[in-house]
Amino acid sequence: MISPIKWFELVAAVAAREVRQLISRPQEIIFCGFMPVIWVLIVWGLLYNGVITDVPVAYIDHDNTSMSREIGRALDADRTMGLVTYNSHDEALAALKHGSVYGIIEVPEGYMKEQYKGTGSSLSVYLDENRYAVAGTIQTSIATIMSAMTLQNMAKVTLLTGSGVSGAERIVSGVHSDFYALGNMQFSFLAFLGSNLTPGVIMLAAVLSFVTAIVREVYLYRINEWMDTAQHYVTAALCGKLLPHYFFYCLVILAYIGLFAGVSGFTALKASSLFIWFICGAACLLVMLTCAILICGIAPTWRFSLVVASGFAAPALPFTGFSMPLDSMSDIARTFSKCLPLTWFIEGQTQQWTLGADIWDMGTTFGVFLLMIFIPLILGIPVFRWKYRIFAKRELEAEANHVS
């Protein structure tokens, strides 16, 4: 039985060997280090502006009254839309089909008269819902502007009844609803998409880096050298080899949190903890590490290990629940999503960044992370030990045949 001090010494020796190998192989540093950072920066640059602005939207005014012109001015003043005037519905629809505009807003004839009668009349809005982000943003902007104008007109009418300013305020406040967009007050797509795409890129890069570090010993025929450094203690060999990579990706997660919580201006609630947010990311990385060990153990070849790692991590984004809620998925899809570590990182991130949850409120999240860490280790290490003993034996036989 090895002592803990000796075990840590072996881990340090293997980690030092791994660092030396990385330095001697700059192409691997580029693939496992610089490229993931570049991917993250590309995602950041793609979404940096964050807010959809000046989207061309067709505006058709059949009423041509002071009220319809006021609506047009109010809509055009919104940062989301840039109104383009059309004379007919068919002309605007043709522009929508050609992609010149993203939607149509149509004011019907007699709109102002119907409003004053109180019989009610509404705008017609046509949107391409396949462009989910643009259509949703335009729809939200139109609803917000029309709601504000309705309340404004209601206040004017109330003042004419002689109820006074305070009476108008009471009536308007009684029908006004408050909407709080937690964590994303400006509905920025940097927060909406970047906070999910960026961790997905990081976790994919991390698992590929972990798997690459392990299988490198196979295709370079250095398994015995690696195991000799660890004195054939498999846990020390794996821990030492993967430790530098894990430390690097913890720094990447820390930088990601710094970008979102600091540089981008998306401040968390006062009750939230950036440290707990980071621990959640570090736990997700640890799951990726243990899954890499299991993948390398069960995959028949080193090439297949990389394929399985990509297939495990790459499809995770649609199942995180950020676009399609988990409760709206089928039972099979929901079960699959809960087996993916990225889903639980997004859950923990939301609990901290958006909701400011206490550590005790995150018991389920961290409990699942613990299960996801230990299950691959329990299954993976025995298989890995058995498989790599075979590989080490084959390596010795190949060396003997080469010498002879």
Side-chain angles (χ1 to χ4, degrees), residues 156-164:
K156 290 179 181 178
V157 173
T158 305
L159 286 172
L160 293 176
T161 64
S163 59

Side-chain angles (χ1 to χ4, degrees), residues 175-352:
V175 297
H176 178 68
S177 61
D178 292 322
F179 172 72
Y180 300 98
L182 299 177
N184 192 3
M185 293 299 293
Q186 301 300 318
F187 197 72
S188 168
F189 280 84
L190 179 59
F192 173 54
L193 293 177
S195 60
N196 298 276
L197 288 174
T198 309
V201 169
I202 294 172
M203 297 304 166
L204 172 60
V207 73
L208 288 175
S209 180
F210 298 147
V211 171
T212 301
I214 295 173
V215 300
R216 184 199 322 121
E217 307 297 341
V218 179
Y219 63 75
L220 292 180
Y221 296 97
R222 292 179 177 173
I223 298 175
N224 286 288
E225 178 189 333
W226 172 32
M227 291 298 170
D228 288 342
T229 306
Q231 296 183 9
H232 296 273
Y233 287 98
V234 174
T235 55
L238 287 170
C239 186
K241 171 167 282 295
L242 299 178
L243 187 61
H245 301 271
Y246 179 75
F247 178 75
F248 171 76
Y249 280 98
C250 281
L251 293 180
V252 175
I253 285 288
L254 195 61
Y256 154 74
I257 294 174
L259 284 174
F260 272 83
V263 175
S264 63
F266 300 119
T267 53
L269 298 177
K270 292 182 179 179
S272 64
S273 168
L274 298 182
F275 176 73
I276 298 176
W277 186 358
F278 169 71
I279 293 300
C280 199
C284 189
L285 282 175
L286 200 55
V287 176
M288 291 296 182
L289 185 149
T290 59
C291 287
I293 295 173
L294 178 60
I295 289 170
C296 290
I298 62 177
T301 64
W302 64 267
R303 290 183 178 86
F304 196 66
S305 297
L306 291 170
V307 173
V308 173
S310 301
F312 166 69
L317 279 171
F319 296 93
T320 57
F322 84 96
S323 57
M324 170 67 75
L326 298 182
D327 292 327
S328 300
M329 297 180 185
S330 66
D331 292 338
I332 295 175
R334 186 162 56 248
T335 301
F336 176 70
S337 69
K338 291 185 177 180
C339 296
L340 299 173
L342 185 61
T343 301
W344 292 98
F345 172 71
I346 299 301
E347 174 74 15
Q349 175 176 266
T350 301
Q351 288 175 300
Q352 272 307 309

